């Protein structure tokens, strides 16, 4: 399935059927994550399947969840990694790709934030320098009549609200994006999930480069959110025929050049 079709269809799932997912289907999802190139070359990161969801749900209640509420699912998937340059961005990118492929295979998923990962580290028997960088619930969606959506409603900012031209003080018009064939790319990029669906990312177009900056307010999730939105931008660009790759080796001085506010961090750029 094309990326834009997945974006249009995919929903976050918070209610799951209790029966386990066939192991071959789970393996297909994991293989999709292992095969993606990510943003940078992975150095020791691994995708871990947590089979006994009922046990983990009990152990992580109050310590992980969606808006503070742990989601009960038959299984969970985690990305475990030792720290390396840009490992958090990489984890966000890979896990969101896993979510998209899971949806394509008929499964539902939900991002889970971790307030305290000590119990999960014990459960997975991790080494001292290993961390759980990303966690999702996964299973067959359940849509019974007695289930209700527990998530708050969230709107989406328009393309003109998230894109700047040449510097932070100059909003980019849709007309300009149309003239460069970029409107669809940013349209689908803005549907990238983020912590609290706050859309903490902004973009600055300067000639043949698109710079990504992310709000620092949610330090714990900032780089995961950056990785997720980089996936959306890259995949949407590829479908528009703009084949490129994110570069994260940016100089801090560029922040001043583009008048980026102090509460935002420059992450990297994509050549268009």
């Amino acid at each position: 399935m094309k990326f834009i079709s997945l974006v249009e269809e995919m929903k976050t799932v918070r209610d799951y059927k209790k029966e386990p997912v066939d192991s071959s289907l789970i393996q297909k999802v994991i293989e999709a994550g292992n095969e993606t190139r990510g943003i940078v070359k992975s150095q020791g990161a691994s995708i871990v399947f947590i089979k006994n969801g009922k046990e983990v749900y009990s152990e992580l209640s109050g310590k992980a969840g969606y808006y503070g509420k742990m989601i009960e699912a038959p299984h969970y998937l985690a990305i475990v990694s030792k720290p390396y340059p840009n490992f958090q961005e990489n984890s966000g990118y890979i896990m969101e790709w896993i979510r998209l492929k899971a949806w394509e295979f008929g499964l539902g998923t939900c991002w889970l934030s971790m307030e305290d990962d000590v119990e999960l580290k014990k459960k997975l028997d991790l080494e001292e320098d290993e961390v759980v960088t990303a966690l999702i619930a996964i299973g067959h969606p359940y849509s019974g009549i007695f289930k209700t959506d527990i998530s708050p409603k969230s709107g989406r900012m328009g393309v003109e609200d998230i894109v700047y031209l040449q510097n932070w003080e100059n909003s980019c018009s849709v007309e300009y994006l149309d003239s460069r064939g970029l409107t669809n790319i940013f349209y689908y990029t803005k549907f990238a999930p983020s912590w609290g669906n706050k859309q903490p990312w902004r973009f600055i177009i300067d000639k043949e480069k698109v710079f990504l900056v992310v709000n620092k307010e949610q330090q714990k999730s900032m780089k995961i959110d950056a990785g997720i939105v980089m996936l959306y931008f890259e995949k949407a660009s590829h479908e528009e025929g703009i084949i490129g790759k994110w570069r994260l080796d940016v100089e801090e001085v560029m922040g001043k050049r583009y008048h980026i506010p102090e509460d935002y961090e420059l992450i990297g750029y994509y050549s268009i």
Side-chain angles (χ1 to χ4, degrees):
M1 186 182 296
K2 295 181 68 175
F3 171 75
I4 60 174
S5 298
L6 284 173
V7 171
E8 290 173 336
E9 290 184 9
M10 189 174 77
K11 298 178 181 179
T12 292
V13 173
R14 289 171 286 278
D15 295 314
Y16 299 89
K17 296 179 180 178
K18 294 186 180 299
E19 63 259 31
V21 178
D22 186 270
S23 59
S24 63
L25 192 53
I26 290 291
Q27 189 58 39
K28 284 178 66 177
V29 173
I30 294 174
E31 286 174 359
N34 286 331
E35 291 170 0
T36 186
R37 67 180 183 177
I39 304 167
V40 296
K41 186 177 181 181
S42 178
Q43 301 175 26
S46 59
I47 302 165
V48 179
F49 174 52
I50 304 173
K51 185 176 181 179
N52 192 340
K54 186 175 182 179
E55 183 179 312
V56 171
Y57 168 75
S58 176
E59 292 174 347
L60 294 186
S61 290
K63 301 172 184 176
Y66 182 86
Y67 284 99
K69 180 178 176 62
M70 185 57 183
I71 301 298
E72 186 174 5
H75 314 296
Y76 300 90
L77 284 175
I79 293 182
V80 172
S81 177
K82 292 184 178 181
Y84 61 86
N86 306 114
F87 74 103
Q88 292 169 301
E89 293 95 328
N90 220 34
S91 293
Y93 182 107
I94 293 170
M95 187 62 96
E96 184 62 18
W97 182 241
I98 286 173
R99 291 187 67 235
L100 287 161
K101 297 303 289 185
W103 182 266
E104 184 177 12
F105 299 149
L107 299 174
T109 61
C110 177
W111 273 99
L112 302 174
S113 60
M114 291 172 288
E115 300 301 323
D116 181 359
D117 66 351
V118 174
E119 289 299 324
L120 188 54
K121 286 188 69 170
K122 291 179 181 177
K123 181 71 178 177
L124 300 179
D125 194 26
L126 303 186
E127 296 179 14
E128 182 65 29
D129 58 346
E130 289 182 315
V131 293
V132 179
T133 55
L135 178 67
I136 63 170
I138 186 168
H140 292 291
Y142 175 68
S143 55
I145 61 173
F146 299 110
K147 290 289 184 178
T148 56
D149 190 345
I150 63 172
S151 65
K153 300 298 182 184
S154 62
R156 289 283 173 177
M157 290 183 289
V159 169
E160 290 179 294
D161 298 315
I162 63 172
V163 186
Y164 299 89
L165 184 60
Q166 295 183 332
N167 67 68
W168 191 270
E169 298 159 353
N170 186 22
S171 295
C172 186
S173 68
V174 171
E175 289 75 17
Y176 177 84
L177 295 176
D178 284 342
S179 72
R180 297 202 57 183
L182 300 175
T183 305
N184 283 345
I185 295 173
F186 285 106
Y187 174 78
Y188 287 104
T189 295
K190 72 185 178 70
F191 288 103
S194 56
W195 187 91
N197 283 323
K198 290 191 173 184
Q199 294 179 273
W201 16 258
R202 300 292 184 271
F203 300 89
I204 301 173
I205 301 174
D206 186 10
K207 299 184 176 71
E208 304 306 314
K209 293 179 180 178
V210 176
F211 292 88
L212 169 65
V213 295
V214 180
N215 192 292
K216 299 178 183 178
E217 180 184 1
Q218 294 297 329
Q219 281 284 342
K220 194 169 184 179
S221 64
M222 180 185 75
K223 293 188 176 181
I224 293 292
D225 289 343
I228 294 171
V229 81
M230 281 191 273
L231 169 71
Y232 277 59
F233 187 93
E234 181 179 285
K235 296 297 184 182
S237 295
H238 288 185
E239 293 204 355
E240 290 293 314
I242 301 176
I243 308 301
K245 193 177 188 303
W246 284 99
R247 294 288 302 272
L248 305 184
D249 52 343
V250 292
E251 299 176 3
E252 290 187 13
V253 69
M254 287 185 175
K256 295 182 179 180
R257 181 188 306 173
Y258 295 109
H259 303 164
I260 297 171
E262 291 186 358
D263 55 340
Y264 280 80
E265 181 174 322
L266 177 62
I267 302 295
Y269 68 88
Y270 189 97
S271 297
I272 55 176

